[in-house]
Amino acid sequence: MSCILAIDDRPINRQFLASLLGYGGHKVLEASDGEEALGIVRQSHPDLVITDIKMPRMDGYEFVDRLRREAGSAAPPVIFYTALYHEREARAIADAHGVTDIITKPSEPEEILKKVSAALGLDGLTSRPGSTEIEAGEHRELDALRATGLKLSALVELGMELGSEHDARELLSRFCSTARHIIGARKSMLGILSEDGDKLKYFLINGLKESRPLVHDRPPLHHSVLETIINDRKPVRINHGEANLLLGQLSPDSSSIHSFLGAPLMSATEVYGWLVLLEKQNNEVFTEEDERLATTLAAQAAIAYENAVFSERLQRNAEELDRTRREQLEMKDEFISHVSHELRSPLAALHQFTTIMLDGLAGEVSSEQREYLEIVLKNSLQLRDMIGDLLEVTRTQGGKLTIEPQPTSLRDLFRPMIQTYKRRAADKGIDFRTTCPYELPLVQADPTRIEQVLSNLLDNALKFTRQGAISVSGSLDEREKFVRIAVTDTGFGISADCVPQIFDRLYQSPNTLESSRRGLGLGLHICKHLVELHGGRIWVESKEGEGTTVFFTVPVTTIHERNN
Amino acid sequence: MKGNKILIIEDDHDIRRGLNVRLRASDYETAFASDAVMALSIAKKEAPDLILLDLGLPGGDGFLVLERMKNIASLACTPVIVVSARDPKTNEKRALDAGAQAFFQKPVDNKDLLVAIQRALMK
């Protein structure tokens, strides 16, 4: 009696091996993972190890490596026990790991016993030891048990694998082979009709000797039996002599076909094709139970196939949509970039000649003429800024706006700009105050971008304030991670229901001074984007009729200068 | 620096004229080219002290003109200032890398431009 260790993370597979090998006259130990198995090997020195490959924590390959390292030449031979469709991959790796053999799930019990005997060096032992002592009735009972165990384990495997497979051909191929094993046929075929029903979209065969394929190049599409399955949407079961007669055209060697079982691949609404099983094993016939099983399996396959087709289609549609969207975005960006470029040239001429006249290069200008030219100039500059914003906002949408942050002193950065705004405020008769403690730390910021944010906020403050004061203040937030800048005005304020929208693209205040233009409604949207790119936050507090404060934060730099 | 000759390579008639007024007011002499093909031969003939170069030109891109100029011995050292309506984000660095002294986006601030011209001429 040999001692065999069976390793598999699924109890049903272990139980199947244990009952089969036990029945084959072996002592069977079980382990559910590699770690546990190594412990058993150390203690009980089994003669053979049969291990699953796909297991949590330690897979079969790692287990074999560990085993070889620990036991060296004393290590028992190992057989891999793996799902059928992993066989090719497993075979290559098994050779590399010095693994003796591979048993695929599901396998015929005889085959498993044969491989086990071979690995144990008991080659003559293909028949069950001690079988003479077992009564004939007991035999049949054990055979039935064995068969049921095999079917169950195959069904579990199939269910788990079908659920995760989204490639239609792969799915059908697995199904075709598993159905053959479960029902116990020597050959199986699966056909899926093309949409017009005229051709076969998929055709898979399993269990046929490669040298003598049942179908050479033309799948048996128009055979009457297959048409009957499709048209009547019912299984067809033919045994013995009848099969030969009916299947005359099906195969060049149809004389050998003694039994036939076919079922439609059918979902609630659609017939996709058929599943055909040929030649029940051991010269038996297909039973009513086989027919029920085949019908159920075919229906399961139809649903899995339907899902796979839908998921393929969904995937394709999603990819196409994504491509179209990106193309459109690209086209829009190109268009806006082109337009803003073309708008700048006439604007440049307009600006140039206005300033030429204002600078007195074309002769004296009267004070009234000067006033009007100033208006032309102011408007041309507004136009220039709008064109700039337009380009900027396309960048924010396309994710193309990038910043280059560096350690920056906001105080030094803002000083010259604040001087300009102080003058502009004074021209309007508005007070301008700044409060900024000297000890503010450096921030990690892209200077031009943060300057752009403040300049935008100050433009707004000036635009919406008729009288009173504008103030800019800087402070360190409580956790000293951010510098917070606040721009306060005594303008119209924003009504509570407008506050959440003011950072939206194209938001325009309803309360602009009559004298100033409304603008494109892009400024704050761009500000928000820029501040967030820096990792900061921007928000607003406002009381209608009293004024507005816009806050934004910029992260304190974590890069320390050498002289600090 | 006054009396230096500046070649304006610019296809837009109005912009060319505006720049001409500006530069003459600062006592510079001017010469003109309005496309990429003529630009090089005019530059060779006029031998300007500085070149103002537009990028979008008929007959070839301004970058091409810049590159060719740098390969002509008599022009290789002439300072070039690019004045273009194109986006500085994608063109400024490229222009400077190709050997331009400065990049200005239209419409330009004339004061800044005149300062840049002066500085380039002093080098």
Side-chain angles (χ1 to χ4, degrees):
Chain A
M1 190 171 73
S2 310
C3 175
I4 301 173
L5 170 59
I7 316 168
D8 199 306
D9 56 325
R10 291 188 199 147
I12 189 164
N13 288 333
R14 290 202 304 274
Q15 278 157 23
F16 169 66
L17 280 178
S19 59
L20 175 65
L21 296 171
Y23 168 68
H26 303 291
K27 180 187 168 197
V28 182
L29 304 170
E30 293 180 33
S32 62
D33 63 44
E35 203 67 61
E36 188 188 350
L38 285 170
I40 294 174
V41 171
R42 276 177 223 126
Q43 218 167 31
S44 313
H45 308 289
D47 303 302
L48 174 69
V49 177
I50 302 178
T51 179
D52 185 19
I53 294 179
K54 271 167 70 178
M55 290 183 291
R57 289 184 294 281
M58 189 191 299
D59 67 13
Y61 305 124
E62 197 189 336
F63 165 73
V64 173
D65 283 343
R66 291 267 306 264
L67 180 69
R68 294 263 181 276
R69 270 208 304 278
E70 282 193 18
S73 57
V78 176
I79 292 179
F80 275 161
Y81 183 51
T82 183
L84 188 64
Y85 18 85
H86 298 139
E87 187 180 356
R88 211 179 314 147
E89 178 200 354
R91 178 81 60 194
I93 303 175
D95 289 343
H97 285 73
V99 166
T100 311
D101 207 343
I102 286 183
I103 298 173
T104 55
K105 297 178 213 177
S107 264
E108 310 297 337
E110 283 78 7
E111 198 191 336
I112 298 178
L113 288 172
K114 213 186 281 177
K115 285 189 175 176
V116 166
S117 296
L120 288 167
L122 312 167
D123 268 349
L125 238 156
T126 46
S127 66
R128 297 158 212 140
S131 59
T132 45
E133 294 147 34
I134 301 171
E135 306 253 331
E138 216 172 316
H139 239 180
R140 273 197 300 279
E141 218 170 281
L142 280 169
D143 275 345
L145 253 173
R146 224 155 26 90
T148 312
L150 182 69
K151 276 180 194 173
L152 270 174
S153 105
L155 274 171
V156 170
E157 290 280 341
L158 181 69
M160 298 189 84
E161 302 289 343
L162 289 193
S164 59
E165 182 56 58
H166 292 301
D167 178 75
R169 169 168 284 280
E170 182 63 23
L171 180 132
L172 295 171
S173 153
R174 288 179 189 189
F175 176 77
C176 184
S177 113
T178 312
R180 179 176 80 84
H181 281 93
I182 290 176
I183 294 176
R186 285 170 62 191
K187 300 167 185 180
S188 66
M189 304 190 294
L190 193 153
I192 297 281
L193 297 172
S194 63
E195 245 119 85
D196 55 10
D198 219 32
K199 284 189 284 292
L200 280 173
K201 195 170 162 192
Y202 294 104
F203 178 67
L204 299 134
I205 38 182
N206 186 271
L208 296 160
K209 289 195 191 85
E210 275 168 43
S211 56
R212 238 179 19 160
L214 178 75
V215 176
H216 294 282
D217 46 1
R218 224 177 321 144
L221 175 62
H222 294 296
H223 193 275
S224 58
V225 178
L226 301 176
E227 278 175 354
T228 307
I229 296 172
I230 298 276
N231 293 338
D232 296 356
R233 302 185 168 208
K234 270 186 198 140
V236 173
R237 182 161 56 100
I238 309 161
N239 283 314
H240 300 300
E242 289 170 84
N244 251 336
L245 208 66
L246 274 161
L247 302 171
Q249 308 147 31
L250 199 60
S251 155
D253 63 344
S254 56
S255 58
S256 67
I257 298 174
H258 58 77
S259 50
F260 172 100
L261 175 58
L265 249 75
M266 185 168 77
S267 76
T269 51
E270 200 83 34
V271 184
Y272 293 104
W274 37 254
L275 166 72
V276 165
L277 299 149
L278 297 169
E279 299 183 46
K280 178 83 172 176
Q281 271 167 355
N282 304 328
N283 278 327
E284 287 168 16
V285 297
F286 288 115
T287 60
E288 254 185 72
E289 194 202 325
D290 290 337
E291 186 180 313
R292 272 200 303 276
L293 195 54
T295 310
T296 313
L297 282 173
Q300 244 185 40
I303 292 165
Y305 172 72
E306 206 167 57
N307 283 341
V309 168
F310 280 150
S311 115
E312 266 174 19
R313 204 176 295 162
L314 265 176
Q315 182 74 22
R316 257 204 315 279
N317 286 353
E319 277 163 15
E320 201 162 314
L321 263 176
D322 194 51
R323 202 176 38 249
T324 317
R325 195 186 63 88
R326 265 184 287 134
E327 277 170 8
Q328 281 176 346
L329 217 65
E330 203 63 41
M331 261 171 60
K332 191 195 70 180
D333 286 3
E334 234 168 76
F335 173 72
I336 290 187
S337 153
H338 173 77
V339 164
S340 67
H341 173 252
E342 292 304 315
L343 290 175
R344 272 176 189 279
S345 288
L347 186 64
L350 179 67
H351 178 262
Q352 183 67 279
F353 284 101
T354 313
T355 55
I356 282 172
M357 284 193 279
L358 278 169
D359 291 349
L361 300 183
E364 282 290 309
V365 258
S366 73
S367 64
E368 194 178 358
Q369 283 168 337
R370 171 168 298 277
E371 195 191 327
Y372 297 163
L373 286 170
E374 299 274 9
I375 293 171
V376 176
L377 181 64
K378 189 183 78 191
N379 278 277
S380 72
L381 290 178
Q382 262 179 25
L383 202 53
R384 181 198 62 190
D385 293 345
M386 285 182 189
I387 294 168
D389 280 358
L390 198 62
L391 202 60
E392 194 85 327
V393 86
T394 14
R395 285 203 203 96
T396 67
Q397 282 177 306
K400 286 180 191 157
L401 195 66
T402 50
I403 55 165
E404 287 167 27
Q406 58 192 70
T408 305
S409 156
L410 288 183
R411 202 186 161 82
D412 295 347
L413 176 66
F414 290 158
R415 193 179 297 128
M417 184 176 39
I418 282 179
Q419 290 310 316
T420 315
Y421 280 95
K422 255 186 185 152
R423 275 197 299 278
R424 283 177 56 186
D427 289 347
K428 284 183 78 175
I430 296 167
D431 263 2
F432 196 106
R433 293 174 220 138
T434 48
T435 35
C436 179
Y438 275 102
E439 63 275 16
L440 270 188
L442 298 184
V443 292
Q444 188 67 10
D446 184 325
T448 28
R449 293 317 199 166
I450 286 300
E451 205 173 29
Q452 188 182 348
V453 171
L454 183 65
S455 135
N456 228 309
L457 298 182
L458 286 175
D459 278 336
N460 278 344
L462 271 176
K463 194 175 2 178
F464 297 111
T465 307
R466 214 194 300 253
Q467 58 191 5
I470 291 172
S471 71
V472 179
S473 66
S475 58
L476 196 57
D477 80 337
E478 305 81 45
R479 279 182 294 167
E480 310 198 340
K481 290 265 167 59
F482 289 91
V483 167
R484 186 173 56 202
I485 303 293
V487 178
T488 306
D489 66 48
T490 54
F492 296 110
I494 305 159
S495 69
D497 43 314
C498 285
V499 166
Q501 306 160 34
I502 66 159
F503 293 107
D504 289 354
R505 193 159 53 95
L506 302 181
Y507 173 79
Q508 287 173 316
S509 160
N511 298 328
T512 319
L513 287 172
E514 319 79 57
S515 62
S516 62
R517 200 69 39 70
R518 276 151 58 103
L520 287 178
L522 298 175
L524 283 176
H525 178 72
I526 294 169
C527 282
K528 180 171 194 283
H529 196 85
L530 286 173
V531 169
E532 285 173 356
L533 269 182
H534 280 86
R537 219 157 61 80
I538 186 165
W539 70 101
V540 66
E541 286 171 10
S542 186
K543 222 173 212 169
E544 214 171 358
E546 289 181 21
T548 304
T549 302
V550 183
F551 300 91
F552 68 94
T553 61
V554 190
V556 169
T557 186
T558 50
I559 302 164
H560 293 286
E561 283 183 322
R562 235 171 289 150
N563 47 359
N564 268 16
Chain B
M1 292 300 113
K2 309 284 175 183
N4 279 330
K5 189 192 278 179
I6 298 177
L7 171 63
I8 303 167
I9 305 175
E10 165 66 67
D11 64 318
D12 186 303
H13 174 265
D14 293 347
I15 293 176
R16 211 163 56 223
R17 198 164 161 205
L19 283 170
N20 182 43
V21 174
R22 274 285 162 200
L23 295 173
R24 293 223 165 235
S26 299
D27 295 325
Y28 291 110
E29 267 187 58
T30 48
F32 310 99
S34 56
D35 64 65
V37 186
M38 293 302 289
L40 286 170
S41 59
I42 293 176
K44 272 192 265 185
K45 200 183 83 194
E46 297 280 345
D49 300 295
L50 184 139
I51 294 168
L52 294 183
L53 176 66
D54 184 20
L55 288 179
L57 291 169
D61 195 88
F63 284 115
L64 203 69
V65 177
L66 187 56
E67 191 187 308
R68 294 239 174 99
M69 239 181 283
K70 292 295 165 195
N71 286 326
I72 296 169
S74 62
L75 297 171
C77 296
T78 310
V80 176
I81 292 176
V82 172
V83 180
S84 166
R86 287 190 196 166
D87 188 356
K89 300 239 155 39
T90 45
N91 291 282
E92 179 164 10
K93 190 176 177 301
R94 196 178 155 198
L96 299 185
D97 287 349
Q101 298 285 319
F103 180 98
F104 283 88
Q105 191 185 23
K106 293 172 188 169
V108 292
D109 184 305
N110 289 298
K111 247 183 272 162
D112 293 349
L113 180 62
L114 288 168
V115 168
I117 289 173
Q118 237 170 6
R119 195 173 297 157
L121 285 170
M122 278 191 297
K123 273 187 187 167

